[in-house]
Coordinates of all heavy atoms in Angstrom, one line a residue:
M40 N 80.4 136.8 98.1 CA 79.8 135.7 97.6 C 78.9 136.1 96.4 O 78.0 136.8 96.6 CB 78.9 135.0 98.7 CG 78.0 133.9 98.2 SD 77.0 133.3 99.5 CE 75.4 133.9 98.9
T41 N 79.1 135.5 95.3 CA 78.2 135.7 94.2 C 77.6 134.4 93.8 O 78.3 133.4 93.9 CB 78.9 136.4 92.9 OG1 80.0 135.6 92.6 CG2 79.3 137.8 93.2
V42 N 76.4 134.4 93.4 CA 75.7 133.2 93.1 C 76.1 132.8 91.7 O 76.1 133.6 90.8 CB 74.2 133.4 93.2 CG1 73.4 132.1 92.8 CG2 73.8 133.8 94.6
E43 N 76.6 131.5 91.6 CA 77.1 131.1 90.3 C 76.0 130.8 89.3 O 76.2 131.0 88.1 CB 78.0 129.8 90.5 CG 79.2 130.1 91.3 CD 80.1 128.9 91.5 OE1 79.9 127.9 90.7 OE2 80.9 128.9 92.4
R44 N 74.9 130.3 89.8 CA 73.8 129.9 88.9 C 72.5 130.4 89.5 O 72.2 130.2 90.6 CB 73.8 128.4 88.7 CG 72.8 128.0 87.7 CD 72.9 126.5 87.4 NE 71.8 126.1 86.6 CZ 71.7 125.1 85.9 NH1 72.7 124.2 85.9 NH2 70.7 124.8 85.2
R45 N 71.6 131.0 88.6 CA 70.3 131.4 89.1 C 69.3 130.4 88.9 O 69.3 129.6 87.9 CB 69.9 132.7 88.3 CG 70.6 133.9 88.7 CD 70.1 135.1 88.0 NE 70.5 136.3 88.7 CZ 70.0 137.5 88.4 NH1 69.3 137.7 87.4 NH2 70.4 138.5 89.1
T46 N 68.3 130.4 89.8 CA 67.2 129.5 89.6 C 66.4 129.9 88.4 O 66.4 131.1 88.0 CB 66.3 129.4 90.9 OG1 65.2 128.5 90.7 CG2 65.7 130.8 91.2
T47 N 65.6 129.0 87.8 CA 64.8 129.4 86.7 C 63.3 129.5 87.1 O 62.5 129.7 86.2 CB 64.9 128.3 85.5 OG1 64.6 127.0 86.0 CG2 66.4 128.3 85.0
W48 N 63.0 129.3 88.4 CA 61.7 129.5 88.8 C 61.2 130.9 88.5 O 61.9 131.9 88.9 CB 61.5 129.3 90.3 CG 61.6 127.8 90.7 CD1 62.7 127.1 90.9 CD2 60.5 126.9 90.9 NE1 62.4 125.8 91.3 CE2 61.0 125.7 91.2 CE3 59.1 127.1 90.8 CZ2 60.2 124.6 91.5 CZ3 58.3 126.0 91.0 CH2 58.8 124.8 91.4
P49 N 60.1 131.1 87.8 CA 59.6 132.5 87.5 C 59.4 133.3 88.7 O 59.5 134.5 88.6 CB 58.3 132.2 86.7 CG 58.1 130.8 86.6 CD 59.2 130.1 87.3
Q50 N 59.0 132.7 89.8 CA 58.7 133.5 91.0 C 60.0 134.2 91.6 O 59.9 135.1 92.3 CB 58.2 132.6 92.1 CG 56.9 131.9 91.8 CD 57.1 130.5 91.1 OE1 58.1 130.3 90.5 NE2 56.1 129.7 91.3
A51 N 61.2 133.8 91.1 CA 62.4 134.4 91.6 C 62.8 135.7 90.9 O 63.6 136.4 91.3 CB 63.5 133.4 91.5
A52 N 62.1 136.0 89.8 CA 62.5 137.1 88.9 C 62.5 138.4 89.7 O 63.4 139.2 89.5 CB 61.5 137.2 87.8
E53 N 61.5 138.6 90.6 CA 61.5 139.9 91.3 C 62.7 140.1 92.2 O 63.3 141.1 92.3 CB 60.2 139.9 92.2 CG 60.0 141.3 92.8 CD 58.6 141.3 93.4 OE1 58.1 140.3 94.0 OE2 57.9 142.4 93.3
L54 N 63.1 139.0 92.9 CA 64.3 139.0 93.8 C 65.6 139.2 92.9 O 66.5 139.9 93.3 CB 64.4 137.8 94.6 CG 63.6 137.8 95.9 CD1 62.1 137.9 95.7 CD2 63.9 136.6 96.8
Q55 N 65.6 138.5 91.8 CA 66.8 138.6 90.9 C 66.9 140.0 90.3 O 68.1 140.5 90.3 CB 66.7 137.5 89.8 CG 66.8 136.1 90.4 CD 66.4 135.1 89.3 OE1 65.7 135.3 88.4 NE2 66.9 133.9 89.6
Q56 N 65.8 140.6 90.0 CA 65.9 142.0 89.5 C 66.4 142.9 90.6 O 67.3 143.8 90.3 CB 64.5 142.5 89.0 CG 64.5 143.9 88.5 CD 63.1 144.4 88.2 OE1 62.1 143.6 88.3 NE2 63.0 145.6 87.9
A57 N 66.0 142.8 91.8 CA 66.4 143.6 92.9 C 67.9 143.4 93.1 O 68.7 144.3 93.4 CB 65.6 143.4 94.1
A58 N 68.3 142.1 93.1 CA 69.7 141.8 93.3 C 70.6 142.4 92.2 O 71.7 143.0 92.5 CB 69.9 140.3 93.2
D59 N 70.2 142.4 91.0 CA 70.9 143.1 89.9 C 71.0 144.6 90.1 O 72.1 145.2 89.9 CB 70.2 142.9 88.5 CG 70.3 141.4 88.0 OD1 71.2 140.7 88.5 OD2 69.5 141.1 87.1
T60 N 70.0 145.2 90.6 CA 70.0 146.6 90.9 C 71.0 146.9 92.0 O 71.8 147.9 91.9 CB 68.5 147.1 91.3 OG1 67.6 146.9 90.2 CG2 68.5 148.5 91.7
K61 N 70.9 146.2 93.1 CA 71.8 146.4 94.2 C 73.3 146.1 93.8 O 74.2 146.8 94.2 CB 71.4 145.6 95.4 CG 70.2 146.2 96.1 CD 70.6 147.6 96.6 CE 69.4 148.3 97.3 NZ 69.8 149.7 97.6
R62 N 73.5 145.1 93.1 CA 74.9 144.7 92.7 C 75.5 145.8 91.8 O 76.7 146.0 91.8 CB 74.9 143.3 92.0 CG 76.3 142.7 92.0 CD 76.3 141.3 91.6 NE 76.0 140.4 92.7 CZ 74.8 139.7 92.9 NH1 73.9 139.7 91.9 NH2 74.6 139.0 93.9
A63 N 74.7 146.4 91.0 CA 75.2 147.4 90.1 C 75.8 148.7 90.7 O 76.6 149.4 90.2 CB 74.1 147.8 89.1
T64 N 75.4 148.9 92.0 CA 75.9 150.1 92.7 C 77.4 149.9 93.0 O 78.1 150.9 93.2 CB 75.1 150.4 94.0 OG1 75.4 149.3 94.9 CG2 73.7 150.5 93.7
G65 N 77.9 148.7 93.2 CA 79.3 148.5 93.5 C 79.7 148.6 94.9 O 80.8 148.4 95.3
T66 N 78.7 149.0 95.8 CA 79.1 149.1 97.2 C 79.1 147.7 97.9 O 78.3 146.8 97.5 CB 78.2 150.0 98.0 OG1 76.9 149.4 98.1 CG2 78.1 151.4 97.3
P67 N 80.0 147.5 98.9 CA 80.0 146.2 99.6 C 78.7 145.9 100.3 O 78.2 144.7 100.3 CB 81.1 146.4 100.6 CG 82.0 147.5 100.1 CD 81.0 148.4 99.3
E68 N 78.0 146.9 100.8 CA 76.7 146.7 101.5 C 75.7 146.2 100.5 O 74.9 145.3 100.8 CB 76.2 148.0 102.2 CG 77.1 148.4 103.3 CD 78.3 149.3 102.8 OE1 78.4 149.6 101.6 OE2 79.2 149.6 103.7
D69 N 75.6 146.9 99.4 CA 74.6 146.5 98.4 C 74.9 145.1 97.8 O 74.0 144.3 97.4 CB 74.5 147.5 97.3 CG 73.7 148.8 97.7 OD1 73.1 148.7 98.8 OD2 73.8 149.8 97.0
A70 N 76.2 144.8 97.6 CA 76.6 143.5 97.1 C 76.2 142.4 98.1 O 75.7 141.3 97.7 CB 78.1 143.4 96.9
A71 N 76.3 142.7 99.4 CA 75.9 141.7 100.4 C 74.4 141.5 100.3 O 73.9 140.3 100.4 CB 76.3 142.1 101.8
L72 N 73.6 142.6 100.2 CA 72.2 142.4 100.0 C 71.8 141.7 98.8 O 70.9 140.8 98.8 CB 71.5 143.8 100.1 CG 70.0 143.8 99.9 CD1 69.3 143.0 101.0 CD2 69.5 145.3 100.0
A73 N 72.5 142.0 97.7 CA 72.3 141.3 96.4 C 72.5 139.8 96.6 O 71.7 139.0 96.1 CB 73.1 141.9 95.3
D74 N 73.6 139.4 97.2 CA 73.9 138.0 97.4 C 72.8 137.3 98.3 O 72.4 136.2 98.0 CB 75.3 137.8 98.2 CG 76.4 138.2 97.3 OD1 76.3 138.3 96.0 OD2 77.5 138.4 97.8
W75 N 72.3 138.0 99.3 CA 71.2 137.4 100.1 C 70.0 137.3 99.3 O 69.3 136.2 99.4 CB 71.0 138.3 101.3 CG 69.9 137.8 102.2 CD1 69.9 136.8 103.0 CD2 68.5 138.4 102.2 NE1 68.6 136.6 103.6 CE2 67.8 137.6 103.1 CE3 67.9 139.5 101.6 CZ2 66.4 137.9 103.4 CZ3 66.6 139.7 101.9 CH2 65.9 138.9 102.8
L76 N 69.6 138.2 98.5 CA 68.4 138.1 97.6 C 68.6 137.0 96.7 O 67.6 136.2 96.5 CB 68.2 139.4 96.9 CG 67.7 140.6 97.7 CD1 67.8 141.9 97.0 CD2 66.2 140.4 98.2
E77 N 69.7 136.8 96.1 CA 70.0 135.7 95.1 C 69.9 134.4 95.8 O 69.3 133.4 95.3 CB 71.4 135.9 94.5 CG 71.5 137.0 93.5 CD 71.0 136.6 92.1 OE1 70.4 135.5 91.9 OE2 71.3 137.3 91.2
A78 N 70.5 134.3 97.0 CA 70.6 133.0 97.7 C 69.1 132.6 98.1 O 68.7 131.5 98.0 CB 71.5 133.1 98.9
T79 N 68.4 133.6 98.6 CA 67.0 133.4 99.0 C 66.2 132.9 97.8 O 65.4 132.0 97.9 CB 66.4 134.6 99.6 OG1 67.2 134.9 100.8 CG2 65.0 134.3 100.1
A80 N 66.3 133.6 96.7 CA 65.6 133.2 95.4 C 65.9 131.8 95.0 O 65.0 131.0 94.7 CB 65.9 134.2 94.3
N81 N 67.2 131.5 95.1 CA 67.6 130.1 94.7 C 67.1 129.0 95.6 O 66.7 128.0 95.2 CB 69.2 130.0 94.6 CG 69.7 130.7 93.4 OD1 69.0 131.0 92.4 ND2 71.0 130.8 93.3
A82 N 67.1 129.4 96.9 CA 66.7 128.4 97.9 C 65.2 128.2 98.0 O 64.7 127.1 98.3 CB 67.3 128.7 99.2
L83 N 64.4 129.3 97.8 CA 63.0 129.3 98.2 C 62.0 129.6 97.1 O 60.8 129.7 97.4 CB 62.8 130.3 99.4 CG 63.5 129.9 100.6 CD1 63.3 131.0 101.7 CD2 63.1 128.6 101.2
A84 N 62.5 129.8 95.9 CA 61.5 130.2 94.8 C 60.4 129.2 94.6 O 59.3 129.5 94.3 CB 62.2 130.5 93.5
W85 N 60.8 127.9 94.8 CA 59.8 126.8 94.7 C 58.7 127.0 95.7 O 57.6 126.5 95.5 CB 60.5 125.5 94.9 CG 61.0 125.3 96.2 CD1 62.3 125.7 96.7 CD2 60.4 124.8 97.4 NE1 62.4 125.4 98.0 CE2 61.3 124.9 98.5 CE3 59.1 124.3 97.6 CZ2 60.9 124.4 99.8 CZ3 58.8 123.9 98.9 CH2 59.7 123.9 99.9
L86 N 59.0 127.7 96.8 CA 58.0 127.9 97.9 C 57.0 128.9 97.7 O 55.9 128.9 98.3 CB 58.8 128.2 99.2 CG 58.1 128.4 100.5 CD1 57.5 127.1 101.0 CD2 59.1 129.0 101.5
A87 N 57.2 129.8 96.7 CA 56.3 131.0 96.5 C 54.8 130.6 96.4 O 54.0 131.3 96.9 CB 56.8 131.8 95.3
P88 N 54.5 129.5 95.7 CA 53.0 129.2 95.6 C 52.4 128.7 96.9 O 51.2 128.7 97.1 CB 53.0 128.1 94.6 CG 54.3 128.0 93.9 CD 55.3 128.6 94.9
F89 N 53.2 128.4 97.9 CA 52.7 127.8 99.2 C 52.6 129.0 100.2 O 52.9 130.1 99.9 CB 53.7 126.8 99.7 CG 53.8 125.6 98.7 CD1 55.0 125.5 98.0 CD2 52.8 124.7 98.5 CE1 55.2 124.5 97.0 CE2 53.0 123.7 97.6 CZ 54.2 123.6 96.8
R90 N 52.0 128.7 101.3 CA 51.8 129.7 102.3 C 52.3 129.4 103.6 O 53.2 128.7 103.8 CB 50.2 130.0 102.3 CG 49.7 130.5 101.0 CD 50.2 131.9 100.7 NE 49.9 132.3 99.4 CZ 50.7 132.6 98.4 NH1 52.0 132.5 98.6 NH2 50.3 132.9 97.2
E91 N 51.7 130.0 104.6 CA 52.2 130.0 106.0 C 52.6 128.7 106.6 O 53.4 128.6 107.5 CB 51.2 130.7 106.9 CG 50.9 132.2 106.6 CD 49.9 132.4 105.5 OE1 49.2 131.5 105.1 OE2 50.0 133.5 104.9
H92 N 52.0 127.6 106.1 CA 52.4 126.3 106.7 C 53.8 125.8 106.4 O 54.3 124.9 107.0 CB 51.3 125.3 106.4 CG 51.3 124.9 104.9 ND1 50.7 125.7 104.0 CD2 51.9 123.9 104.2 CE1 50.9 125.2 102.8 NE2 51.6 124.1 102.9
E93 N 54.5 126.5 105.5 CA 55.8 126.1 105.1 C 56.8 126.9 106.0 O 56.7 128.1 106.2 CB 56.1 126.4 103.6 CG 55.2 125.7 102.6 CD 55.5 124.2 102.6 OE1 56.7 123.8 103.0 OE2 54.7 123.4 102.2
P94 N 57.8 126.2 106.5 CA 58.8 126.8 107.4 C 59.6 128.0 106.8 O 60.0 128.9 107.5 CB 59.7 125.7 107.8 CG 59.5 124.6 106.9 CD 58.1 124.8 106.2
G95 N 59.8 128.0 105.5 CA 60.6 129.1 104.9 C 59.8 130.3 104.4 O 60.4 131.2 103.9
Y96 N 58.5 130.2 104.6 CA 57.7 131.2 104.0 C 57.9 132.6 104.6 O 57.9 133.6 103.8 CB 56.2 130.9 104.1 CG 55.3 131.7 103.2 CD1 55.4 131.6 101.9 CD2 54.5 132.7 103.8 CE1 54.6 132.5 101.1 CE2 53.7 133.5 103.0 CZ 53.8 133.4 101.6 OH 53.0 134.2 100.8
P97 N 58.1 132.8 105.9 CA 58.4 134.1 106.4 C 59.7 134.7 105.8 O 59.7 135.9 105.5 CB 58.6 133.9 107.9 CG 57.8 132.7 108.2 CD 57.9 131.8 107.0
L98 N 60.7 133.9 105.6 CA 61.9 134.5 104.9 C 61.6 134.9 103.5 O 62.1 135.9 103.0 CB 63.0 133.4 105.0 CG 64.3 133.8 104.3 CD1 64.9 135.0 104.9 CD2 65.3 132.6 104.4
W99 N 60.8 134.1 102.8 CA 60.4 134.5 101.4 C 59.6 135.8 101.4 O 59.9 136.7 100.6 CB 59.6 133.4 100.8 CG 59.1 133.7 99.4 CD1 57.9 134.2 99.0 CD2 60.0 133.7 98.2 NE1 57.9 134.5 97.6 CE2 59.2 134.1 97.2 CE3 61.3 133.3 98.0 CZ2 59.7 134.2 95.9 CZ3 61.8 133.3 96.7 CH2 61.0 133.8 95.7
Q100 N 58.7 136.0 102.4 CA 58.0 137.2 102.5 C 58.9 138.4 102.7 O 58.7 139.5 102.1 CB 56.9 137.1 103.6 CG 55.7 136.3 103.3 CD 54.8 136.3 104.4 OE1 55.1 136.0 105.6 NE2 53.5 136.6 104.1
T101 N 59.9 138.2 103.6 CA 60.8 139.3 103.9 C 61.6 139.7 102.7 O 61.8 140.9 102.3 CB 61.7 138.9 105.0 OG1 61.0 138.6 106.2 CG2 62.8 140.0 105.4
A102 N 62.2 138.7 102.0 CA 62.9 138.9 100.8 C 62.1 139.6 99.7 O 62.6 140.5 99.0 CB 63.5 137.6 100.3
T103 N 60.9 139.2 99.5 CA 60.0 139.8 98.5 C 59.7 141.2 98.9 O 59.7 142.1 98.0 CB 58.7 139.0 98.4 OG1 59.0 137.6 98.0 CG2 57.7 139.6 97.4
A104 N 59.5 141.5 100.2 CA 59.2 142.9 100.6 C 60.4 143.8 100.3 O 60.3 144.9 99.7 CB 58.9 143.0 102.1
Y105 N 61.6 143.3 100.6 CA 62.8 144.1 100.2 C 63.0 144.3 98.7 O 63.3 145.4 98.2 CB 64.1 143.4 100.7 CG 64.4 143.8 102.1 CD1 64.3 142.8 103.2 CD2 65.0 145.0 102.5 CE1 64.6 143.2 104.5 CE2 65.3 145.3 103.8 CZ 65.1 144.4 104.8 OH 65.4 144.7 106.1
A106 N 62.7 143.2 98.0 CA 62.8 143.3 96.5 C 61.8 144.3 95.9 O 62.2 145.1 95.0 CB 62.6 141.9 95.9
Q107 N 60.6 144.3 96.5 CA 59.6 145.3 96.0 C 60.0 146.7 96.3 O 59.9 147.6 95.4 CB 58.3 144.9 96.6 CG 57.7 143.7 96.0 CD 56.4 143.2 96.7 OE1 56.1 143.7 97.8 NE2 55.8 142.2 96.1
L108 N 60.6 146.9 97.4 CA 61.1 148.3 97.8 C 62.2 148.7 96.8 O 62.2 149.8 96.4 CB 61.5 148.3 99.2 CG 60.5 148.3 100.3 CD1 61.1 148.1 101.7 CD2 59.6 149.6 100.2
I109 N 63.1 147.8 96.6 CA 64.3 148.1 95.7 C 63.8 148.4 94.3 O 64.2 149.3 93.7 CB 65.3 147.0 95.8 CG1 65.9 146.9 97.2 CG2 66.3 147.1 94.7 CD1 66.7 145.6 97.4
N110 N 62.9 147.5 93.8 CA 62.5 147.6 92.4 C 61.6 148.9 92.2 O 61.7 149.5 91.2 CB 61.7 146.4 92.0 CG 62.6 145.2 91.9 OD1 63.8 145.3 91.8 ND2 62.0 144.0 92.1
R111 N 60.8 149.3 93.2 CA 60.0 150.5 93.1 C 61.0 151.7 93.2 O 60.7 152.6 92.4 CB 59.0 150.6 94.2 CG 57.7 150.0 93.9 CD 56.6 150.3 94.8 NE 56.2 149.0 95.4 CZ 56.0 148.7 96.6 NH1 56.3 149.6 97.6 NH2 55.6 147.5 97.0
S112 N 62.0 151.7 94.0 CA 62.8 152.9 94.1 C 63.7 153.0 92.8 O 64.0 154.1 92.4 CB 63.7 152.8 95.3 OG 64.7 151.7 95.2
D113 N 64.0 151.9 92.2 CA 64.7 151.9 90.9 C 63.9 152.4 89.8 O 64.4 153.0 88.8 CB 65.3 150.5 90.6 CG 66.1 150.5 89.4 OD1 67.1 151.3 89.4 OD2 65.9 149.7 88.5
A114 N 62.6 152.3 89.9 CA 61.7 152.6 88.8 C 61.4 154.1 88.7 O 60.8 154.6 87.7 CB 60.4 151.9 88.9
R115 N 61.8 154.9 89.7 CA 61.5 156.3 89.8 C 62.2 157.1 88.7 O 63.3 156.8 88.3 CB 61.8 156.9 91.1 CG 60.9 156.4 92.2 CD 61.2 157.0 93.5 NE 60.6 156.2 94.5 CZ 60.8 156.3 95.8 NH1 61.7 157.2 96.2 NH2 60.2 155.6 96.7

């Protein structure tokens, strides 16, 4: 599954960068993670300014944590 269109919410940029990094490896596992990051960014980027009272916020936190790990490891 590849995402046909990316959200334009600026909060999604970190997840999109991590998705690009993972997709570039060409492995099926990394492609699946990239698809999940993209789908989460598309579905929940509008949620980023909100906090714990929103039902999707824990998923956003998880995706952001993965993206930060991926982006940091890519920067080395």
